[in-house]
């Protein structure tokens, strides 16, 4: 047992002396290589952190844009539904005028044209509102 321990001790001493001799002769090169590796590792870590931060920011912006788009769509739908109700009322009034038997043809024609112009104006207004909201939604993308 003592012989085995003595041999292991001798082996450890010789390897440590050899490594110490190697380290002393290559200390400058080893230090230079170690610094290069540290700098490269730091660059990679910083680059990865920046990319992760950019991805997080894009995801956050995307979720915020989804909420904004939903609000814009709700606003558009409420405005368009109001205009649709007005259009339906005008169409009902137009049908009432066309079916009326108490009016003269001239009165029917005048009221019919007036209601048709009002319907066209409401449809144009609806198209402008829809176009404005489409542009604002597209700007968020």
């Amino acid at each position: 047992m003592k012989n085995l321990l003595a041999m292991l001790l001798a082996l450890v001493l010789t390897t440590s002396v050899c490594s110490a001799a190697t380290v002393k002769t290559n200390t400058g090169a080893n230090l230079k290589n170690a610094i290069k590796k540290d700098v490269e590792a730091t660059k990679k870590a910083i680059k990865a952190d920046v990319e992760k931060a950019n991805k997080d920011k894009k995801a956050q912006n995307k979720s915020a844009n989804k909420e904004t788009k939903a609000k814009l769509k709700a606003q558009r739908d409420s405005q368009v539904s109001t205009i649709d109700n007005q259009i339906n009322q005008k169409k009902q009034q137009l049908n009432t005028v066309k079916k009326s038997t108490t009016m003269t043809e001239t009165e029917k024609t005048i009221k019919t044209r007036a209601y048709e112009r009002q319907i066209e104006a409401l449809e144009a207004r609806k198209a402008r509102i829809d176009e404005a909201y489409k542009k604002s939604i597209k700007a968020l993308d």
Side-chain angles (χ1 to χ4, degrees):
M1 187 77 153
K2 287 184 180 181
N3 288 338
L4 183 62
L5 287 174
M7 288 177 67
L8 284 174
L9 184 63
L11 181 63
V12 168
L13 285 175
T14 55
T15 54
S16 65
V17 169
C18 290
S19 66
T22 305
V23 170
K24 284 184 181 178
T25 57
N26 294 328
T27 303
N30 288 340
L31 183 61
K32 183 179 176 182
N33 290 337
I35 292 172
K36 281 185 181 179
K37 287 180 184 178
D38 287 344
V39 169
E40 288 176 12
T42 305
K43 283 182 182 178
K44 287 180 183 177
I46 290 172
K47 190 174 182 179
D49 288 344
V50 168
E51 288 175 359
K52 183 181 177 192
N54 287 340
K55 286 181 183 178
D56 292 344
K57 185 68 174 172
K58 284 181 183 180
Q60 186 180 21
N61 287 342
K62 195 172 186 178
S63 66
N65 285 346
K66 282 183 182 180
E67 293 173 6
T68 307
K69 285 180 185 180
K71 288 178 185 176
L72 287 173
K73 286 181 181 180
Q75 286 177 349
R76 179 194 64 194
D77 291 343
S78 68
Q79 288 182 352
V80 168
S81 67
T82 304
I83 293 173
D84 283 337
N85 290 337
Q86 291 174 353
I87 289 173
N88 289 334
Q89 288 174 354
K90 296 298 177 186
K91 285 182 179 180
Q92 288 174 354
Q93 291 171 347
L94 180 65
N95 288 336
T96 305
V97 168
K98 285 182 179 180
K99 291 179 183 178
S100 175
T101 56
T102 59
M103 289 186 201
T104 63
E105 277 303 311
T106 307
E107 287 178 309
K108 283 184 181 181
T109 304
I110 291 170
K111 287 189 178 186
T112 301
R113 287 184 182 167
Y115 287 133
E116 286 174 349
R117 283 193 301 267
Q118 290 174 0
I119 290 170
E120 287 174 3
L122 287 171
E123 287 177 349
R125 184 174 165 204
K126 179 180 168 182
R128 283 193 309 269
I129 289 171
D130 193 44
E131 185 65 28
Y133 279 105
K134 282 182 182 178
K135 285 181 181 178
S136 60
I137 288 173
K138 187 177 180 182
L140 290 174
D141 290 336

